[in-house]
Amino acid sequence: MKKFTLALALAATLPMAGQAQRYMGIATSNWGGTNPLYLNPANAADSRHKFSIDLFNANIGADNSLAAVDFTKVISAIRNDEPVRDGLTFGKSDKFSILAPYAEVRLPGVFVNIKGKHGIALTTRMRAMSQFHNFNQGLYKLLTDSAVADLSKDQQLVVKDFNWTMNGWSEIGLTYGGVIYDKGQHMVKGGATLRYLMGAAYISVFSNNINAKYRLDEQSRDAFLTLTNTDFHYSQKNASQILVDSTADVDFSQFFGGSAGNGIGADLGFVYEWRPDHADYRYDMDGKTGILDASKNPYKMRFSASISDLGSIKYKSDAKIDFNTNSTDSTVITGTEVLEKIKDTAAFAQYLESRGMTAKRGAGETKVGMPTTLIVGVDYHAVSNLYINATYFANMRRHDMAGNSFYNQFTVTPRWDTRIFTASLPITYSMLSENIRVGLGLRVGGFFVGSDDLVASFGGRYSANFYMGAYVPFNKKRPRDSDGDMVSNKRDKCEHEKGVWAMKGCPDPDKDGDGVLDKEDNCPDVAGSKTAQGCPDADMDGVADAEDRCPQEAGEVAMQGCPDRDKDGIANMDDACPDQAGLAQFKGCADSDQDGIADNEDKCPNAAGSIANQGCPDTDNDGIADNMDKCPQVAGTAANSGCPEVKAEVKKRLAFAATAIQFDLGKATIKKTSNKILDEIVAILNEYSDYNMTIEGHSDNVGNATKNLELSENRANAVRDYFISKGIDASRLSAAGFGDAKPVASNKTAAGRAKNRRVAMDLKLK
């Protein structure tokens, strides 16, 4: 294989230019092996695979913003060593970018899912990227096709913010994804991939400004470049030879698996799944309930966000040179001399310095950045096995340093996705070429083939892409249950006969399903309880409902299923006194005084009495039970509540005493002449010991009413004090004065006023 000159390399790159396609036809599948992990490492969690082995896959393609390509004509021109211009339709913009080429080979890898919640993958791949950013269309045409202009005259070329980075490397990646949050309807997953990067070779040229005049000498056929106000940075490792020697063979082994540089890369990502119908994806099996079917996708909407290709490769460069020309002086260089001198870095620097350029030489480390990309997407589970995915890729890598980048794109991918088969139709808008392309992806089992760029729908054929690969998937499956008895075939001892889990899938010898085998079930056709030998026992007291006198209330077998709170051998429902132990003859009640009357009917349960008195005694035998007798120790009358009635002559004596008791004039001092009548009243009080006495003082209306009231109170108290002095208990006596408020006669006559001046006394039962 021959090495190419720079001009020939640029001529060849256009038809081979490759956009960094992401296998959109397969990477969005839920059964895509490790491919979805490159979009978002969080996809490793809750995977539809329990295990998969990557065998091999590769991706090649073409994309650019320079020209629409007729690939048939371009390939024919290259084969015949003819100009490729007839196969190119150039765009209007003077600036263009090419990712030329991008090649990716994914080598063997493995993925393992752990308990449904975690996933681990080990992946390997090789990648190569050659990228021109902000290249000049005119310069490209001059370098690749001398027929486009009169090259005997100077052609002005201006290029700003130019970057060309070519990088080849291999990598080993370790991915982990896990479920962070799972509450049925909502699930959040997170994941990360850590990669060890092994750089094989790179070239980096970037410039703030290139201002040149290009002319081709007709006699020498040599190209002359006149540089003014130009700067560029050049560094490389292991790669300069492919540009300068057209006769030697290329040893491509140095580009893959080499150790010219190394570094660490990473992907980070999160996924949120909305699962409003998650209950519909659950089943019961082998004695467990509510198992989520791991072979299905329960989400309605899945949102994804990730950052891929973080990191860089650190190379120890063979050469690092910064070139500059000032704004007034010109430097003239020829293509022949450049190609001759560039073989030796020192000679190349000396040559440029001899031509008037400032060359700052050095060696050291160069970090070549990975194509860091932000990836956000949503996957909508429309119906059945139909999904619609929308994904946006945004470049996060700067172009003013060594490194590659992916260009922005937006892709919508409808797909039919099952465990065995996937058919997808990725539709992409490329921000690089500003056109739309349509692809097709097909998967059968673990073999897939497809393209994201089969057809560029608008603006000409700017792109083409093809990928294929194979892996061995071990998919999650719902356990088979041939007879539908919720016992998996693997554990079903009667695989073709419907049974129950308790019998390992064999028919249940318990027809009513109450846990009591029919041979021991007294009610084999009706679900019951073990406590009642298979018959219904609502209160679980061991007495079947049919025989239970209290079927809704747990009781004792001896009580026919009824409770007996007071433990007297009489069921509550039959016990007139359920909270007090009693006797059967009294319906469960006690007879504390043993008078033959149950306590619940005995008015005096602690004192023996007669039935006539409802169990109460009659101590004074007056026919009135003690509980109703206010004078239980003295015989009385029913009309007087069991107390003896006050005799008529006593009442007369009390009425007489009211006017017979004499006091000193205007005082409360009792005259001694009244002691006899007072002593008679004392005798009455002693005779009627069950009575209390009220003593009331009254006056006429002569004089001051307030003083009359005070005098009446004092006289009533004087009588009370006399009785107390004679041994009458003070608690039996009450005294009060009313003044002239309660006259019994007219105060207009002396006789009437005399009657009104009195101390009235009355006996009342206690």
Side-chain angles (χ1 to χ4, degrees):
M1 183 178 290
K2 303 299 182 181
K3 297 184 179 180
F4 301 95
T5 63
L6 176 59
L8 188 56
L10 285 171
T13 55
L14 181 58
M16 296 177 58
Q19 167 71 356
Q21 302 298 334
R22 298 300 188 116
Y23 298 75
M24 293 304 291
I26 184 67
T28 56
S29 171
N30 291 301
W31 287 272
T34 60
N35 289 291
L37 307 187
Y38 290 94
L39 282 184
N40 192 325
N43 289 325
D46 190 40
S47 171
R48 301 287 73 79
H49 300 301
K50 57 184 177 182
F51 186 73
S52 71
I53 301 174
D54 291 340
L55 300 179
F56 173 85
N57 65 68
N59 178 16
I60 59 174
D63 194 11
N64 77 100
S65 62
L66 171 64
V69 182
D70 183 328
F71 286 98
T72 301
K73 293 181 179 180
V74 168
I75 293 173
S76 175
I78 293 175
R79 286 178 176 175
N80 298 323
D81 196 22
E82 296 175 352
V84 298
R85 63 177 177 273
D86 292 339
L88 305 179
T89 303
F90 290 94
K92 296 180 180 180
S93 176
D94 187 52
K95 286 187 178 182
F96 71 94
S97 296
I98 301 177
L99 186 55
Y102 175 84
E104 178 178 344
V105 178
R106 296 181 185 174
L107 300 173
V110 64
F111 166 77
V112 179
N113 186 256
I114 304 172
K115 295 183 178 181
K117 301 294 185 181
H118 310 275
I120 297 175
L122 181 66
T123 55
T124 59
R125 65 175 169 172
M126 298 187 299
R127 302 161 80 183
M129 298 180 72
S130 180
Q131 185 170 34
F132 293 85
H133 178 72
N134 278 349
F135 203 60
N136 182 278
Q137 183 181 131
L139 178 58
Y140 179 87
K141 292 178 180 180
L142 290 173
L143 290 175
T144 58
D145 189 354
S146 60
V148 300
D150 182 1
L151 298 184
S152 63
K153 299 179 180 179
D154 289 340
Q155 304 293 321
Q156 186 68 40
L157 303 174
V158 178
V159 180
K160 294 184 181 296
D161 298 325
F162 170 72
N163 184 304
W164 172 39
T165 298
M166 182 186 74
N167 192 14
W169 74 98
S170 57
E171 59 188 41
I172 299 175
L174 179 63
T175 300
Y176 167 77
V179 175
I180 299 172
Y181 178 87
D182 183 5
K183 291 299 181 181
Q185 185 173 343
H186 306 283
M187 174 180 279
V188 178
K189 302 182 288 186
T193 297
L194 185 66
R195 293 193 178 93
Y196 177 63
L197 310 174
M198 295 167 284
Y202 89 97
I203 296 175
S204 174
V205 178
F206 53 86
S207 169
N208 293 316
N209 186 70
I210 297 176
N211 191 336
K213 292 180 180 180
Y214 181 87
R215 178 174 54 83
L216 183 66
D217 184 81
E218 293 183 358
Q219 293 182 351
S220 66
R221 304 304 296 173
D222 199 358
F224 288 84
L225 282 174
T226 303
L227 303 175
T228 304
N229 193 23
T230 295
D231 68 86
F232 63 91
H233 172 87
Y234 168 74
S235 62
Q236 60 88 14
K237 180 70 174 180
N238 286 353
S240 63
Q241 59 173 317
I242 69 171
L243 302 176
V244 299
D245 195 337
S246 60
T247 60
D249 290 335
V250 178
D251 180 9
F252 282 100
S253 64
Q254 63 182 324
F255 287 89
F256 300 103
S259 57
N262 55 67
I264 299 296
D267 299 347
L268 301 174
F270 293 93
V271 170
Y272 164 73
E273 292 185 357
W274 179 49
R275 302 174 164 190
D277 303 319
H278 69 95
D280 297 340
Y281 294 86
R282 298 184 181 274
Y283 64 94
D284 300 337
M285 188 70 67
D286 295 342
K288 297 179 180 180
T289 60
I291 304 170
L292 188 64
D293 191 347
S295 68
K296 301 255 178 90
N297 301 301
Y299 66 87
K300 188 67 176 178
M301 196 84 73
R302 180 169 64 193
F303 299 91
S304 172
S306 66
I307 298 178
S308 67
D309 284 314
L310 291 163
S312 61
I313 297 175
K314 185 184 294 184
Y315 287 94
K316 288 187 176 180
S317 302
D318 285 344
K320 294 175 69 173
I321 309 174
D322 289 311
F323 299 100
N324 290 279
T325 64
N326 58 41
S327 59
T328 57
D329 296 334
S330 296
T331 297
V332 179
I333 60 177
T334 67
T336 302
E337 291 173 332
V338 169
L339 292 174
E340 178 183 352
K341 301 296 185 182
I342 200 171
K343 295 179 182 180
D344 182 89
T345 303
F348 184 48
Q350 290 175 359
Y351 167 70
L352 293 177
E353 289 173 334
S354 69
R355 310 303 291 177
M357 293 190 73
T358 300
K360 182 180 180 182
R361 288 172 284 173
E365 294 180 346
T366 298
K367 288 185 178 180
V368 179
M370 292 295 98
T372 307
T373 309
L374 172 66
I375 308 172
V376 293
V378 59
D379 201 51
Y380 174 59
H381 189 172
V383 62
S384 185
N385 296 312
L386 178 63
Y387 299 79
I388 300 174
N389 182 277
T391 303
Y392 177 68
F393 299 85
N395 169 49
M396 298 182 68
R397 171 63 60 183
R398 293 162 49 190
H399 292 106
D400 59 350
M401 59 182 64
N404 297 108
S405 62
F406 291 154
Y407 296 106
N408 298 357
Q409 70 177 56
F410 178 73
T411 302
V412 176
T413 308
R415 74 181 187 280
W416 185 263
D417 203 16
T418 70
R419 180 170 58 89
I420 300 299
F421 175 74
T422 297
S424 58
L425 192 71
I427 303 169
T428 300
Y429 176 74
S430 170
M431 281 69 167
L432 172 64
S433 57
E434 298 182 342
N435 75 328
I436 295 176
R437 73 282 305 268
V438 179
L440 175 66
L442 297 174
R443 176 188 65 86
V444 178
F447 176 77
F448 62 91
V449 61
S451 171
D452 294 343
D453 299 341
L454 278 178
V455 179
S457 304
F458 303 101
R461 189 66 178 272
Y462 279 84
S463 57
N465 165 250
F466 178 78
Y467 58 82
M468 65 178 296
Y471 60 97
V472 181
F474 296 85
N475 298 316
K476 294 178 180 177
K477 299 178 182 178
R478 178 171 172 171
R480 293 189 61 190
D481 179 15
S482 299
D483 52 17
D485 58 4
M486 293 187 293
V487 180
S488 63
N489 290 354
K490 184 171 62 175
R491 300 188 178 185
D492 199 330
K493 293 184 178 180
C494 303
E495 184 175 329
H496 302 291
E497 188 176 8
K498 195 169 185 177
V500 295
W501 169 246
M503 303 304 297
K504 301 300 180 184
C506 291
D508 192 354
D510 175 17
K511 288 185 294 185
D512 55 15
D514 59 5
V516 181
L517 300 180
D518 291 350
K519 63 182 180 179
E520 300 173 354
D521 198 330
N522 290 341
C523 303
D525 298 315
V526 181
S529 168
K530 292 181 180 180
T531 60
Q533 291 184 287
C535 291
D537 180 13
D539 55 15
M540 302 295 289
D541 60 1
V543 181
D545 290 349
E547 301 173 358
D548 198 329
R549 293 181 64 212
C550 305
Q552 302 301 320
E553 189 177 11
E556 302 175 17
V557 175
M559 298 289 104
Q560 293 182 285
C562 291
D564 176 19
R565 289 198 299 272
D566 56 14
K567 307 299 180 183
D568 59 2
I570 302 169
N572 291 346
M573 64 181 302
D574 300 323
D575 198 329
C577 302
D579 296 310
Q580 181 183 18
L583 304 172
Q585 67 189 84
F586 297 120
K587 295 184 179 181
C589 292
D591 180 14
S592 301
D593 54 13
Q594 298 183 356
D595 58 3
I597 302 172
D599 288 353
N600 64 320
E601 297 178 354
D602 197 329
K603 299 292 185 180
C604 302
N606 295 311
S610 64
I611 295 176
N613 289 330
Q614 294 181 297
C616 290
D618 181 11
T619 302
D620 55 12
N621 294 313
D622 58 2
I624 302 169
D626 288 355
N627 65 316
M628 302 295 292
D629 197 332
K630 289 188 176 182
C631 302
Q633 303 298 322
V634 180
T637 65
N640 204 34
S641 301
C643 291
E645 294 189 6
V646 179
K647 297 175 182 179
E649 57 267 26
V650 172
K651 292 182 179 180
K652 289 181 181 180
R653 196 62 181 164
L654 291 175
F656 171 76
T659 57
I661 299 173
Q662 299 294 315
F663 295 90
D664 290 338
L665 183 64
K667 296 181 179 180
T669 304
I670 301 173
K671 292 183 178 181
K672 292 182 179 181
T673 56
S674 299
N675 289 350
K676 182 178 180 181
I677 188 65
L678 291 174
D679 290 339
E680 291 178 3
I681 296 173
V682 169
I684 293 172
L685 286 169
N686 287 328
E687 180 181 356
Y688 292 94
S689 59
D690 293 313
Y691 284 79
N692 290 336
M693 175 172 280
T694 60
I695 306 169
E696 298 180 353
H698 301 275
S699 69
D700 58 22
N701 64 351
V702 177
N704 184 279
T706 300
K707 290 185 177 181
N708 287 340
L709 176 62
E710 182 180 355
L711 180 61
S712 66
E713 289 177 351
N714 291 338
R715 286 181 175 180
N717 284 325
V719 173
R720 179 177 179 274
D721 292 342
Y722 184 86
F723 291 157
I724 293 172
S725 69
K726 295 298 183 178
I728 302 302
D729 191 335
S731 64
R732 294 178 60 198
L733 304 170
S734 63
F738 296 92
D740 59 5
K742 294 182 178 182
V744 295
S746 175
N747 281 312
K748 294 182 179 181
T749 65
R753 289 192 293 273
K755 290 181 180 181
N756 289 336
R757 293 190 298 272
R758 67 195 187 281
V759 177
M761 290 166 283
D762 191 16
L763 292 173
K764 294 184 178 180
L765 285 172
K766 296 180 180 177

